[in-house]
Amino acid sequence: MASGQLSRAGALACTGCRHACHVMLYCDTKTQLFGRLPIRHIILMQMRFDGLLGFPGGYVNPSEETLEAGLSRELLEELGVALPILVEDHVDCCHAPASSPYSSSRLITHFYVKKMEEEQIREMERTAASTATDHGQEVLGMVRVPLYTMKGGGGLAPFLSHSFIGNARSKLVDSLLRLDLVAPEELHTALAHSLKLHAHSAEDLRAALALTEAKRKRF
């Protein structure tokens, strides 16, 4: 078992621990971008209220409900769909990373993966924006992960350079490899390009900071 990871039984036996459950919902697709670039798979993530990217889900209290029932409840609030989650969908659990802005040594995160039909995914995108109670509040919108790479480098690399909550980015990368959704070499190239984009973004932020500093001194 990887460092920091827990067994499901061990996680549930943790006294005084809080639990958060999140799920990666995905499907296969034959659609093409601009009619020529295969999209291959649709993976749903969301822009959170704090400006970070993450997977649907939230806090669950195992003393009042099962992990799966709690996650289904969270999905109903965030996606507007009562989606049944099974124990078999559970992938792993671990202590939340210390770098997470909402983590503590007593928070355990559970990650699930569920494959669906394309029409089910499309329906969830519609209901998330029209009937979900959390839309526009805790969830600012659903987003698809671009798994393709365009000639200019657009697609997966820029997406991976964004800011993610906790271990969401590592869970995404691990799932892409484990489910063979993206070839290892293609993913490696995208991550390397993402690092370069991150450095360029840091330069832009420093320039913007300098501009606001100059404006601030005028007042």
Side-chain angles (χ1 to χ4, degrees):
M1 186 174 294
S3 177
Q5 288 198 332
L6 303 165
S7 67
R8 179 187 174 90
L12 291 174
C14 181
T15 303
C17 286
R18 300 178 70 194
H19 297 262
C21 298
H22 297 85
V23 61
M24 185 182 96
L25 303 170
Y26 79 104
C27 71
D28 300 328
T29 181
K30 294 181 180 180
T31 57
Q32 296 182 327
L33 180 64
F34 306 130
R36 63 178 183 274
L37 188 62
I39 292 177
R40 299 180 294 189
H41 313 282
I42 298 174
I43 296 176
L44 291 186
M45 295 190 74
Q46 57 187 204
M47 177 62 71
R48 295 160 43 95
F49 64 94
D50 51 14
L52 300 174
L53 289 169
F55 290 103
Y59 290 111
V60 172
N61 187 348
S63 66
E64 298 179 354
E65 56 190 349
T66 66
L67 295 175
E68 292 71 35
L71 178 52
S72 293
R73 171 182 51 75
E74 286 289 332
L75 295 181
L76 178 60
E77 296 171 1
E78 296 180 359
L79 302 177
V81 177
L83 181 66
I85 300 296
L86 307 176
V87 174
E88 291 75 15
D89 299 323
H90 189 270
V91 175
D92 60 33
C93 51
C94 62
H95 289 288
S99 59
S100 174
Y102 308 107
S103 72
S104 72
S105 61
R106 309 303 293 175
L107 176 62
I108 295 176
T109 61
H110 300 261
F111 188 63
Y112 294 74
V113 172
K114 190 174 186 66
K115 187 173 184 179
M116 309 183 71
E117 297 297 325
E118 184 172 359
E119 183 50 42
Q120 291 178 298
I121 292 289
R122 292 182 181 276
E123 178 61 23
M124 279 190 292
E125 289 177 315
R126 289 190 287 265
T127 57
S130 59
T131 62
T133 58
D134 284 350
H135 179 69
Q137 298 182 54
E138 291 187 29
V139 179
L140 301 185
M142 303 303 298
V143 296
R144 294 185 181 188
V145 180
L147 299 181
Y148 47 81
T149 298
M150 304 174 71
K151 287 184 177 180
L156 184 57
F159 185 87
L160 292 173
S161 71
H162 294 317
S163 297
F164 291 71
I165 181 69
N167 59 7
R169 177 168 30 218
S170 64
K171 292 300 182 186
L172 172 61
V173 170
D174 176 72
S175 296
L176 294 180
L177 290 172
R178 184 170 49 82
L179 299 171
D180 197 28
L181 301 181
V182 176
E185 184 62 30
E186 183 180 354
L187 183 55
H188 179 81
T189 300
L191 286 167
H193 185 47
S194 181
L195 278 173
K196 294 179 181 179
L197 292 173
H198 217 288
H200 181 69
S201 295
E203 293 178 5
D204 284 347
L205 285 171
R206 283 191 288 269
L209 182 62
L211 177 63
T212 57
E213 183 65 19
K215 292 285 187 180
R216 189 166 64 100
K217 289 181 178 178
R218 294 181 183 179
F219 299 94

